[in-house]
Amino acid sequence: MVRFENVGLRYGLGPEVLRDLTFRIEPHSFQFLTGPSGAGKTSLLKLLFLSLRPTRGLITQFGHDVATLSKDAVATLRRRIGIVFQDFRLLDHMTTYENVALPLRVMGRPEESYRDEVIELLNWVDLGDRMWALPPVLSGGEKQRAAIARAVIARPQLLLADEPTGNVDPPLAQRLLRLFIELNKSGTSVVIATHDIALMDQYDARRLVLHDGRLHIYD
Ligand SMILES: Nc1ncnc2c1ncn2[C@@H]1O[C@H](COP(=O)(O)OP(=O)(O)OP(=O)(O)O)[C@@H](O)[C@H]1O
């Protein structure tokens, strides 16, 4: 599904922040991505979401060499990826319900075909009573859950999440982890970037550990 071969990344003329990354993300797999602050987790997620290109090495995504992709081809591939950004990136003029439903609307599905699905997911992430609120009035934890619901609603082939439990209490973090596990069981490959050791200890999964720009893999 995703293959990295000797990938390096630098910003401008700065030092390499990711070095010699060689690994694969297999279909239907689940992995945590961890490492100290500044180790390059967000940068690696950006490479996986095709919002950054590597400065060296080869990345193959869904069978395509990303270096050769046009803008349109990137947009098409991204529809197969769900992402939870660290800063959520909800659309402030749309309600929570509309934000979460957006990926399905973009696919051209009529609202009556997905309304119940969206409401069920909003209830699952404990936002049932906030679904008509606009993002600016949501708390940090509520925004985070809305961003997670939006990322998973269309059952993407690959889910990328940057610190998805950073703003919620432990019981809710556990519930969100269950959501990611269920999604993985239904076929999605999941990559969760996190510092949360307690969260990782709750699920026996592969760990990708970044340290000084290099990746160590614990299967
Ligand atoms: N746009 C940018 N321009 C220049 N340097 C950057 C940029 N984004 C990140 N960096 C640098 O790249 C390195 C890796 O940053 P990154 O945000 O990927 O780490 P991280 O592991 O996600 O950190 P955190 O856990 O604190 O979010 C850091 O040294 C950071 O300063």
Side-chain angles (χ1 to χ4, degrees), residues 11-12 17 35-44 46 86 162-163 195 210:
Y11 291 98
V17 297
S37 184
K41 301 180 292 297
T42 300
S43 302
L44 178 50
K46 285 181 178 167
Q86 220 168 7
D162 204 351
E163 296 287 351
H195 284 116
L210 274 172

Side-chain angles (χ1 to χ4, degrees), residues 12-179:
L13 298 173
E16 271 201 322
V17 297
L18 296 175
R19 281 184 281 164
D20 293 321
L21 265 51
T22 297
F23 70 100
R24 286 169 187 254
I25 294 175
E26 302 292 351
H28 303 222
S29 61
F30 191 110
Q31 41 263 299
F32 292 111
L33 170 62
T34 189
S37 184
K41 301 180 292 297
T42 300
S43 302
L44 178 50
L45 290 181
K46 285 181 178 167
L47 288 174
L48 289 167
F49 190 57
L50 311 168
S51 57
L52 279 180
R53 301 258 168 129
T55 35
R56 64 185 176 87
L58 176 80
I59 302 180
T60 315
Q61 199 118 330
F62 303 111
H64 302 273
D65 174 353
V66 303
T68 64
L69 291 175
S70 66
K71 264 192 169 165
D72 285 351
V74 167
T76 305
L77 281 194
R78 276 192 181 152
R79 289 198 198 118
R80 300 158 78 169
I81 305 175
I83 185 160
V84 183
F85 295 102
Q86 220 168 7
D87 56 359
F88 319 127
R89 302 199 196 170
L90 297 168
L91 299 175
D92 285 348
H93 62 286
M94 289 187 179
T95 64
T96 306
Y97 168 90
E98 287 167 338
N99 266 283
V100 172
L102 194 59
L104 302 175
R105 215 176 97 193
V106 168
M107 285 174 176
R109 279 182 53 182
E111 200 199 350
E112 60 274 16
S113 77
Y114 61 67
R115 190 182 304 120
D116 292 349
E117 221 175 299
V118 173
I119 292 172
E120 190 188 343
L121 180 59
L122 282 164
N123 283 325
W124 172 262
V125 298
D126 225 358
L127 283 177
D129 58 351
R130 303 298 274 149
M131 69 177 107
W132 308 118
L134 294 172
V137 304
L138 298 180
S139 73
E142 288 170 341
K143 283 182 195 165
Q144 187 159 45
R145 283 176 276 143
I148 290 171
R150 183 183 57 184
V152 305
I153 189 72
R155 298 180 182 272
Q157 281 173 264
L158 176 62
L159 177 81
L160 309 171
D162 204 351
E163 296 287 351
T165 57
N167 292 278
V168 298
D169 55 26
L172 198 50
Q174 222 172 45
R175 198 175 169 81
L176 294 173
L177 178 62
R178 273 208 340 259
L179 179 67

Side-chain angles (χ1 to χ4, degrees), residues 186-201:
S186 70
T188 298
S189 293
V190 174
V191 182
I192 297 181
T194 185
H195 284 116
D196 188 345
I197 291 168
L199 184 82
M200 289 186 279
D201 283 346

